Amino acid sequence: MSTSRFRFRWAPVLLAPLVLLPAACGDGAVEVPVPHPDAATQRLCEGLRLPAKVHGQSLRDTTPDSQLTAAWGSPAIALRCGVPVPAALRQTSQLVDINGISWFGEPVDRPVTWTAVGRQAYVEVTVPAKYRPAGDVLIELTPAIKSTIPAKPEGQI
């Protein structure tokens, strides 16, 4: 076996960990599934002006690239606008009110994903355990949602 052939065969193996490093350190795009709302909801979501930082974490690129998703930090706080009504949401569900936005948490015993309800577009925020209490994250996102996504008529979630 020649030396050049040996180097060629091993080069991809030695370089593979280096290629993965940027993504592992939080520098790469975060995969966030894109919701598929109707046209009116999509227009509302595209108007959402989100902060550059949430809970001290910087805004990151998402993949696939979409105006309906956003992410901050590593592990990523992920936002999706225009999601469907949460399947577990009921008129009797326990909601948390933060500065005029009602949030529905799932799972109920230890919410990880919060959905802003009672608005003309549902906005979902997934908050990893690293950023507890999750309410701090929701407080920072509330002004953008409140100013862009109109409330539904009283009593509708």
Side-chain angles (χ1 to χ4, degrees):
M1 179 182 285
S2 72
T3 307
S4 61
R5 189 171 178 190
F6 178 78
R7 283 189 198 138
F8 177 76
R9 288 175 52 175
W10 285 99
V13 173
L14 295 174
L15 294 176
L18 298 176
V19 173
L20 297 176
L21 260 174
C25 295
D27 296 332
V30 178
E31 189 171 332
V32 180
V34 177
H36 300 285
D38 60 44
T41 302
Q42 181 160 339
R43 279 191 300 278
L44 286 172
C45 290
E46 288 172 351
L48 196 57
R49 299 294 169 245
L50 298 166
K53 287 194 174 216
V54 170
H55 206 65
Q57 303 299 306
S58 297
L59 190 62
R60 297 179 58 185
D61 290 332
T62 59
T63 186
D65 186 34
S66 172
Q67 291 181 312
L68 305 179
T69 63
W72 298 264
S74 180
I77 297 165
L79 179 143
R80 300 182 335 127
C81 186
V83 297
V85 177
L89 182 64
R90 306 283 180 265
Q91 282 294 127
T92 57
S93 294
Q94 183 177 355
L95 303 177
V96 174
D97 188 62
I98 298 177
N99 299 328
I101 299 282
S102 295
W103 294 92
F104 174 67
E106 292 183 279
V108 176
D109 60 339
R110 53 174 183 77
V112 175
T113 299
W114 293 88
T115 305
V117 299
R119 312 306 284 181
Q120 292 182 20
Y122 293 95
V123 180
E124 177 186 276
V125 180
T126 301
V127 184
K130 174 182 176 179
Y131 307 109
R132 297 288 185 232
D136 290 350
V137 171
L138 303 179
I139 288 169
E140 292 181 49
L141 292 170
T142 291
I145 296 167
K146 193 173 182 179
S147 68
T148 307
I149 312 291
K152 288 184 174 184
E154 185 70 30
Q156 291 186 11
I157 55 172

